[in-house]
Amino acid sequence: MDQSKYLEMVKRNPYTLEHIENPSEDIMLEAVRRNGMVLQYIKTPPLNVAEAAIENEARAIQFLPDPPADLAKKAICKSWANLEYIHNPSRKLITTALSYSGWAIKYVRDPDEALQLEAVKKNFDAVKYIDNPVFSAEALAVKNDEQALRFIKNLTTEKFISLFKINSLILKYMPPNFAIAVDAVEDALRQVIGSEEVDEKYIRDLLNNHSIGRTVSTMPIDVIALIDEYGSPKARRITVDEKLKFT
């Protein structure tokens, strides 16, 4: 069968490329332009064929064992999830993927601290995809969103208290089988509120935290009284300002 017949065949169904021996470059181009995934049937595609395939369907990157850097980047820019298909991606490529979604960290083997931080900075819940997260990444995740506590691995009393000092709202997301002593929480609060460097958001969140308070059975701590007695001047000023909002 002559090449023109094959060309018509791939126009109608690109997957017929699988059954064409030694297809011409024109046939390969026609096929991948219609469906990039047929790149899998081309053993050694010319660069322009590979580019056309990725342009049509970025997931076709998985059929290139060692794609050129610019082509790999193009695939990532089309979808960060394509990082899964790239063997031994460069750090630059990983950071490109992370700039689109922190979830891309799931495709990075043994990410270092900097990459972990980059991931959770983009998406707090990316921490759940890190097998061995460093504490700084867990802390940043919790600071950005208290719900991140649900994804913290190997939660201990010490780790919980350290994270509580960063975001008091994590109390709401304590695991059901996890218990923390009221005295430990109160002691942690004294340390936080007593600092003149205390974060303003921390104080405001604490004052509006429905998981802690004089009438809360699970964590009966009088936050206002505690700040009045142990709070730094800054903590007291923020407290007064916050309470004035409701008067």
Side-chain angles (χ1 to χ4, degrees), residues 158-175:
E158 292 75 17
K159 182 183 284 190
F160 180 87
I161 289 298
S162 295
L163 294 173
F164 176 76
K165 290 178 180 179
I166 296 168
N167 188 343
S168 72
L169 298 177
I170 65 171
L171 282 171
K172 181 180 178 181
Y173 297 99
M174 277 199 307

Side-chain angles (χ1 to χ4, degrees), residues 1-243:
M1 190 179 294
D2 62 38
Q3 295 291 304
S4 62
K5 296 285 187 180
Y6 286 135
L7 192 60
E8 289 303 316
M9 287 171 62
V10 296
K11 284 182 179 179
R12 290 194 297 270
N13 181 1
Y15 278 93
T16 59
L17 183 68
E18 179 183 6
H19 308 292
I20 300 175
E21 290 187 21
N22 302 316
S24 67
E25 190 170 304
D26 286 343
I27 290 173
M28 288 188 283
L29 279 170
E30 187 65 39
V32 298
R33 283 171 178 164
R34 291 176 181 273
N35 190 323
M37 296 299 283
V38 301
L39 186 66
Q40 62 188 293
Y41 303 123
I42 305 173
K43 289 183 179 179
T44 309
L47 180 58
N48 62 332
V49 172
E51 290 173 338
I54 301 306
E55 181 63 35
N56 176 270
E57 176 51 77
R59 288 182 300 136
I61 198 73
Q62 64 189 286
F63 305 121
L64 297 174
D66 187 23
D70 59 337
L71 202 54
K73 182 179 180 181
K74 185 173 184 177
I76 294 300
C77 290
K78 281 178 170 286
S79 174
W80 60 266
N82 288 319
L83 187 65
E84 176 184 9
Y85 305 123
I86 300 173
H87 303 292
N88 300 315
S90 66
R91 190 178 189 88
K92 186 175 182 179
L93 197 61
I94 291 171
T95 56
T96 297
L98 290 174
S99 71
Y100 288 98
S101 174
W103 285 21
I105 200 73
K106 69 167 81 173
Y107 302 124
V108 182
R109 182 179 298 177
D110 300 324
D112 60 29
E113 182 178 14
L115 291 176
Q116 291 185 32
L117 289 172
E118 195 168 344
V120 298
K121 183 179 180 181
K122 187 69 177 179
N123 298 94
F124 76 89
D125 55 352
V127 71
K128 67 185 175 184
Y129 294 119
I130 305 173
D131 290 333
N132 297 295
V134 295
F135 179 74
S136 57
E138 294 176 320
L140 181 58
V142 163
K143 182 177 182 180
N144 289 346
D145 195 306
E146 56 276 8
Q147 294 184 69
L149 186 72
R150 296 184 292 130
F151 310 120
I152 300 301
K153 302 174 178 69
N154 304 315
L155 188 63
T156 62
T157 297
E158 292 75 17
K159 182 183 284 190
F160 180 87
I161 289 298
S162 295
L163 294 173
F164 176 76
K165 290 178 180 179
I166 296 168
N167 188 343
S168 72
L169 298 177
I170 65 171
L171 282 171
K172 181 180 178 181
Y173 297 99
M174 277 199 307
N177 60 343
F178 185 84
I180 192 78
V182 174
D183 288 348
V185 172
E186 190 168 323
D187 183 60
L189 282 176
R190 289 195 194 97
Q191 294 176 45
V192 176
I193 65 178
S195 171
E196 191 61 26
E197 303 301 317
V198 65
D199 184 63
E200 180 176 337
K201 184 177 183 301
Y202 187 94
I203 297 296
R204 294 188 189 278
D205 284 345
L206 178 63
L207 293 168
N208 294 290
N209 190 340
H210 299 301
S211 297
I212 185 172
R214 188 175 52 187
T215 60
V216 178
S217 59
T218 54
M219 200 57 64
I221 299 174
D222 190 331
V223 173
I224 299 290
L226 202 67
I227 293 175
D228 185 57
E229 185 173 356
Y230 299 102
S232 64
K234 180 181 179 181
R236 293 195 188 102
R237 286 195 303 272
I238 297 168
T239 300
V240 170
D241 181 69
E242 184 66 21
K243 288 305 173 183

